[in-house]
Structures are given as C-alpha cells and as structure tokens.
Amino acid sequence: MGWTKSARGNLSLPIITIIICTIGFISLFYIDKISTYHSVLRFKPCSKCTFTKSKNSHTDVKRLENNPLNEYDRYECNHTDGNWVFNTSIKPLYTDRTCSYIDREYACVKNGRNDSDYLYWEWQPDDCVLPRFDPEVALIKLQGKRLMFVGDSLQKNQWQSFVCLVESIIPEDQKSMKKISRGHSVFKAEEYNASIEFYWAPFLVESNTDFHIKFNPNQKIVKVDSITQRAQNWLGVDILVFNTYVWWMGRLKINTLWGEFQNGEEGYEELDTPVSYRLALRTWANWIDSTIDSNKTQIFFTTMSPSHERNKDWGNINGIMCYNETRPVMKRGHWGFGSNKEMMKVVASVIKRMRVHVTVLNITQLSEYRIDAHSSIYGESYGKLLTDEQKADPLHFADCIHWCLPGVPDTWNRLLYAYL
C-alpha cells in the first residue's frame, strides 16, 4: 500500500505529459496505416501494369482513380446468371453509320433493318452491376499496348465492336486501320500508342481451309498439332483474346491430321468433333504454356457464341430460325441447339490444366437469350449483300450466327473491359 502511494507521488507532470504524447503518436501512426490500407483497397495499383509517359499521364492516372471499375470485383461477380433489361435511356456508343470500320455483314441498320429495340437491351448480372464501357478509360488502359483478337468471324465481330466503342473519341488524324496481311488487320490509336488487332485463325491451329475456304465440310482438314505458323504472329502482344467454335460444328466428325504423313493430307482420320477439338486446344494450350510470360501478357478465351437456327428451341413453332425475332428469350437458363455443352466442357478441362492463367469470358448463356440480335436477312451471303429475292427466303439465307453491330458483342466487350 505504501509502495502504491510512493509510485503515485513520483509521477511528476513532465512524465505524465511524455506518456500522453507517446500514446497520441502511436494512435496517429496506426490511424495513418489503416487509412493507407483502405486507400489501397479502393484503388489497387497493378505492379505488372505500365503506362507510356505522355503529356496526359497525370490526367490519365486521375481518370483511372475516379473510375467505377475500381469498386467492381470482377472475380467475385458471376456474369453468367442474370437477365436482359430493356433500357432506352442508354444509347449505343456508335452506329453502323458513324463507325466506318464495320463490315457489311454486321451493318444491319445500313442494310435495311428498321426495328431498333434490339439495341436497348442491357445485360444485368444477378449479384453485381456490370461497369459501363468508358472509351477513354479503355484507351488509357491500352496505352502503349497491343490488344489482339484471334479466332473466327465471331471474334472478328467482337473486334470490330471494340474498335467502334473507342474510335469515336479519337481525332481522325490520330487513328488508322491497316491490313498487315490477308488475315491480320490493325487499328491504331496514335495518341495512346495503342493497337487493337484481329488475326484470322478459325481453328486456332492450322487447316486447309483457313484462307482458301472450302464450303464443303467433307473437304476440310484440321491439322491439330500445327500452330507455330499462326502463333508466331501472336508474339509480343500484351493482351490476347482467343476463340474457336463455330467452324468445328459443320459435322459430327472432323477430318483430323497430326504428325508426319508421307501422303500429306491423305493421311487424315475422321475423329469425333469433341475429340479433335480437344487435341487442337491442347496444342494451343501447350504453345501458351511454353511461350507466354504471364507477367507480360494477359490471356483471355471467349466461349462459344450460340447460333439460333432452330426456332422450336424457344417455342416459336411457326417461326423461321431467328428471322423476324424482336425480343430476347425470357426463360431463365434457356439453352438451345446452337451451343454444345460437351465442347464447352472441353474448353474448361483444357484451361484448368494450363500453367499460364487464362481468363474465360463466358458469353454463351447471356448470348443464348438474344435470338433477336442476329444479322438475319440484313447481312451477306458468300461476301455479297442479299438480294430482295434472297431476303424473301429466310429459311435458306437468314444469318442466325453473326450479330448486328452495335449489338450483343458490345456486351462481350463490357466483360473484357472489366478485366483489363
């Protein structure tokens, strides 16, 4: 008891002041640490991302810091489950008249399509809000980089959509489109030193029909273990977006060639399409794993784009494929004949075993509902616009594979934009 009194007596005012100041300093230190931690959570700088220095670099950083993408958890959001909501307050960022880079086969309005409701359906996932595509932010993220879409005509559909989404904010003298080779086209945004490219490789691996197209499926031969000739054009690209599906679906079996055959193409074997597809994807995956540095290159794979050629799938018994459809399918989980689940499982199993991380853009389910948004009779047939006689025969001439632009591929690019 005497010790306690003595101790209290010895605590002079200067000592008490020192103790209070020390406690205050420690409190401020931890408050600062907590504040810094929350700041990092709000805007996470990417150690692997680099931006080319420019006169606008400070503005670019501020633009990124204030963008809604920073609040969006792309890895927690399930983009597959959701519904299409009609929203006329949202206008497309371009039209097929304002964007000169759209091929005629996707330019539905220019080719005579009069209804416009298909332009105003917006995909809304169940458990998150998908960020809107901001052309300026997209270009800032691509500054000093090459983005390349690799695949078939559906991938070309997506590539042209991406180009049109960003090109309107670029001055005419600061943008260009060049054809590097027969299968390689490059859109350049000069001010950002960015390129948005397309490389034609419908099977990803090589085939005898890549450029000299054989319309008879029986004549197509896929070389499932040959990719080097194509893949050398993908080296040095910062962001690669792959797809391959529709060209595999002409037959139940694929003429498949691999290894060394003295008789050339005569040495092929007929394999079930999923088997041949798996062999080709393994060749692609092996090339990615053995060649790509994931610290330098981001890899995406876009899942199958569904076709809508069997109208009974959505209950329109009296319809003709996708012709004259003006609204999406509203039944949750609708899945038609135009998407092959076995092929989708092949993609999942191959990517799961890869060393290099591949982000899957799962566009299949959300696109399954959009029976209303295909080119239909407002596209091309064998490179030529449909005649009036052909338009009057949708059973034979309606294109229910490709999509009008603007349209559904813009939503695919909203997903891609969220991951960039």
Side-chain angles (χ1 to χ4, degrees), residues 345-357:
K345 289 177 181 177
V346 170
V347 172
S349 65
V350 170
I351 289 178
K352 183 179 179 181
R353 290 170 171 79
M354 292 178 66
R355 177 184 61 80
V356 172
H357 175 72

Side-chain angles (χ1 to χ4, degrees), residues 87-101:
N87 185 0
T88 55
S89 67
I90 304 301
K91 306 298 181 185
L93 292 176
Y94 65 95
T95 71
D96 61 4
R97 297 186 184 278
T98 61
C99 182
S100 61
Y101 303 110

Side-chain angles (χ1 to χ4, degrees), residues 176-193:
S176 63
M177 178 73 79
K178 292 183 179 179
K179 199 166 188 176
I180 305 301
S181 63
R182 187 174 181 182
H184 187 189
S185 298
V186 177
F187 173 81
K188 190 80 172 177
E190 302 293 346
E191 181 181 356
Y192 296 88
N193 188 28

